[in-house]
C-alpha cells in the first residue's frame, strides 16, 4: 500500500520544491543560472566576505535550503531526497559566493556528503579558491563521546549554521569563521526520538517498521537505527531521558546560558513540542541554567516522520553575540 503525498511525479519532487521556494521568497533566494540545484542568497555574498556554503539531501526542510540568506548561509547545494548533492552544484555555489576571502563548507557528517564536498573542494583548489570544511556532529546518540568525530549532524545545524553565518557577516577572517563554527559544533548537543517511519516520494513506502506502542530512541534523520527500541512513554519520561544524556555531555555550570531548539521530525504537532519544551524548561531551571532563547517547530525534518528532537546550545559571550546577530532567510529572521 502506498503512502499519501501531495506531489506530482516523485522523481520531480525536489526540483518542483526548489521552484516553489524560489517563487515564495524571490527577495531572499536565487539560483546559479546554469544549475538550479545551486541556491544563493541575494543579499549575502560580497567582496571580502567569507562565503558560507551548506548543503545536503532534500527531505529535511527547512534544513538546508531554508537557511540561506543574509547573516546565514550564502548558498546551499541541494541533493535528491536523503542523498548528497553531487560536486557540480557544490562547485557552482562556491564560485557564486567566493568574494576573495575563502569559502567555508558546512554540512552533516554523512559519507556521501563528505565524499562529494571533498571532491568539490579539491576542484576549487585548482581555481585558487581556498575552502575549509566543518562537519556538524551534534547527534549525541550516534556515537560514543570518545568517538565524537563519527557522530551525525542533525537539528543542531540550525544553531551551528546561524553562528558561523554571523561570524562571516561580521567580516571575520576564514580562520575566525572556522573557529566559531567548530566552537559552535562542540557546544551543541542533540538527541531525538522517532514514533513512526517516513516514506520517500519515489516509492511511497515506509522506510522501516515500528510497532504501534514503540518508539526509537536516538534514531537518525534518515531512519538510521537509534540506541534503543522501547515502549512508548510519556512526554516527561522521554524528555528526562534526553536531558540526562545531554547534561552528561554538556558540562554546564549553574548560571550558564543556553539556547533551546525543540524540533519536529515532520508530523509531530506544535502541541506536543510545547509539552516537551515545558519539561525541558523545568529540567534546565533545576540545573540552574538560564534559557536565553528558545525555538520550537519543524527546523530539521525527516519528511513525514513522527517524533522530535531536543537541541541545547551551551552559550558563552561570543556565541551569544553571534546568536543575536541579525539574519534573514526564508524560514526565520533575527532582528
Amino acid at each position: 500500500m502506498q503512502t499519501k503525498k501531495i506531489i506530482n511525479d516523485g522523481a520531480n519532487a525536489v526540483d518542483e520544491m526548489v521552484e516553489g521556494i524560489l517563487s515564495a521568497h524571490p527577495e531572499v533566494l536565487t539560483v546559479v543560472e546554469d544549475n538550479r540545484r545551486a541556491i544563493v542568497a541575494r543579499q549575502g555574498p560580497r567582496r571580502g566576505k567569507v562565503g558560507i556554503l551548506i548543503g545536503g539531501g532534500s527531505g529535511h526542510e527547512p534544513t538546508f535550503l531554508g537557511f540561506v540568506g543574509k547573516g546565514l548561509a550564502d548558498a546551499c547545494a541541494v541533493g535528491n531526497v536523503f542523498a548528497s548533492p553531487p560536486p557540480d552544484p557544490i562547485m557552482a555555489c562556491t564560485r557564486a559566493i567566493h568574494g576573495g576571502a575563502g569559502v567555508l563548507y558546512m554540512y552533516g557528517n554523512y559519507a556521501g556528503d563528505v565524499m562529494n564536498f571533498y571532491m568539490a573542494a579539491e576542484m576549487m583548489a585548482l581555481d585558487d579558491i581556498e575552502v575549509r570544511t566543518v562537519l556538524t556532529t551534534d547527534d549525541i546518540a550516534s556515537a560514543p563521546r570518545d568517538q565524537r568525530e563519527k557522530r551525525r549532524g542533525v537539528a543542531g545545524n540550525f544553531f551551528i549554521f546561524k553562528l558561523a553565518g554571523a561570524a562571516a557577516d561580521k567580516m571575520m577572517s576564514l580562520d575566525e569563521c572556522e573557529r566559531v563554527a567548530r566552537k559552535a559544533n562542540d557546544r551543541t548537543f542533540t538527541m531525538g526520538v522517532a514514533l513512526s517511519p517516513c516514506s520517500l516520494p519515489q516509492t511511497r513506502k515506509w522506510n522501516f517498521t515500528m510497532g504501534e506502542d514503540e518508539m526509537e530512541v536516538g534514531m537518525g534523520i534518515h531512519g538510521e537505527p537509534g540506541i534503543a527500541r522501547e515502549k512508548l512513554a510519556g512526554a516527561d519520561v522521554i524528555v528526562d531521558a534526553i536531558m540526562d544524556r545531554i547534561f552528561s555531555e554538556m558540562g554546564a555550570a549553574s548560571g550558564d546560558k543556553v539556547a533551546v531548539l525543540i524540533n519536529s521530525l515532520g508530523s509531530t504537532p506544535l502541541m506536543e513540542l510545547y509539552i516537551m519544551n515545558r519539561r525541558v524548561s523545568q529540567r534546565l531551571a533545576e540545573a540552574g541554567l538560564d534559557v536565553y532563547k528558545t525555538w520550537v517547530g519543524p527546523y530539521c525534518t525527516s519528511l513525514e516522520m513522527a517524533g522530535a528532537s531536543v537541541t541545547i546550545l551551551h552559550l558563552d559571550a561570543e556565541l551569544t553575540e553571534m546568536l543575536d546577530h541579525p539574519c534573514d532567510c526564508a524560514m526565520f529572521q533575527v532582528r
Side-chain angles (χ1 to χ4, degrees):
M1 186 176 71
Q2 288 192 324
T3 59
K4 296 178 180 179
K5 293 182 181 291
I6 303 177
I7 59 174
N8 296 306
D9 184 337
N12 299 327
V14 173
D15 290 326
E16 291 181 355
M17 173 190 68
V18 169
E19 185 178 349
I21 194 171
L22 291 171
S23 296
H25 304 282
E27 73 289 353
V28 176
L29 301 173
T30 186
V31 291
V32 176
E33 188 169 328
D34 59 348
N35 196 320
R36 295 190 67 80
R37 294 292 187 92
I39 309 288
V40 178
R42 288 192 180 275
Q43 305 299 325
R46 55 191 184 272
R47 192 69 192 163
K49 175 188 174 298
V50 171
I52 302 293
L53 172 55
I54 63 175
S58 298
H60 306 302
E61 291 73 35
T63 301
F64 294 85
L65 76 173
F67 298 153
V68 176
K70 180 169 173 49
L72 262 151
D74 295 295
C76 171
V78 180
N80 288 328
V81 176
F82 292 3
S84 168
D88 282 351
I90 300 171
M91 292 188 292
C93 285
T94 306
R95 294 188 181 101
I97 67 175
H98 177 52
V103 176
L104 184 62
Y105 287 179
M106 301 182 65
Y107 51 91
N109 187 23
Y110 300 94
D113 294 299
V114 172
M115 178 179 69
N116 288 339
F117 274 90
Y118 178 81
M119 290 172 60
E122 291 284 289
M123 296 297 293
M124 292 298 91
L126 298 178
D127 288 350
D128 294 325
I129 298 176
E130 184 177 5
V131 171
R132 307 274 183 87
T133 296
V134 174
L135 300 178
T136 58
T137 57
D138 59 295
D139 184 359
I140 64 174
S142 56
R145 188 186 313 184
D146 61 357
Q147 300 177 40
R148 179 157 188 170
E149 73 282 356
K150 296 181 180 179
R151 289 177 171 176
R152 303 178 292 238
V154 287
N157 284 329
F158 170 80
F159 287 130
I160 301 163
F161 295 163
K162 169 69 182 76
L163 302 177
D169 196 51
K170 291 165 74 70
M171 304 301 286
M172 289 180 157
S173 69
L174 184 57
D175 285 344
E176 285 292 279
C177 289
E178 180 183 7
R179 179 189 62 78
V180 169
R182 293 191 184 281
K183 180 181 181 180
N185 182 64
D186 289 344
R187 296 171 70 96
T188 300
F189 308 88
T190 301
M191 186 169 164
V193 59
L195 307 184
S196 74
C198 61
S199 62
L200 303 185
Q202 299 92 325
T203 66
R204 301 195 202 183
K205 295 183 182 299
W206 299 120
N207 64 344
F208 60 89
T209 59
M210 182 179 293
E212 291 184 359
D213 63 344
E214 291 182 326
M215 62 181 183
E216 182 90 8
V217 180
M219 175 170 282
I221 56 174
H222 307 103
E224 300 95 337
I227 56 177
R229 180 71 65 92
E230 299 178 358
K231 186 176 178 62
L232 180 63
D236 286 359
V237 174
I238 292 171
V239 169
D240 283 345
I242 291 172
M243 293 305 295
D244 287 345
R245 287 288 296 267
I246 290 177
F247 283 145
S248 73
E249 297 240 351
M250 188 165 58
S254 180
D256 286 358
K257 291 192 296 186
V258 298
V260 176
L261 171 65
I262 311 296
N263 172 65
S264 171
L265 291 176
S267 67
T268 297
L270 282 170
M271 173 185 281
E272 296 171 32
L273 300 182
Y274 281 116
I275 290 171
M276 291 181 69
N277 186 60
R278 162 191 166 275
R279 184 59 179 162
V280 169
S281 298
Q282 290 172 353
R283 289 298 305 274
L284 291 169
E286 290 168 4
L289 300 177
D290 175 22
V291 177
Y292 185 65
K293 285 187 178 177
T294 300
W295 284 264
V296 177
Y299 287 90
C300 182
T301 63
S302 184
L303 295 168
E304 76 272 40
M305 185 184 289
S309 62
V310 176
T311 301
I312 305 295
L313 168 63
H314 186 192
L315 291 164
D316 64 5
E318 180 182 44
L319 296 185
T320 301
E321 179 185 351
M322 300 301 166
L323 191 65
D324 286 341
H325 186 76
C327 69
D328 186 5
C329 67
M331 300 305 167
F332 71 100
Q333 294 82 36
V334 174
R335 301 297 187 190

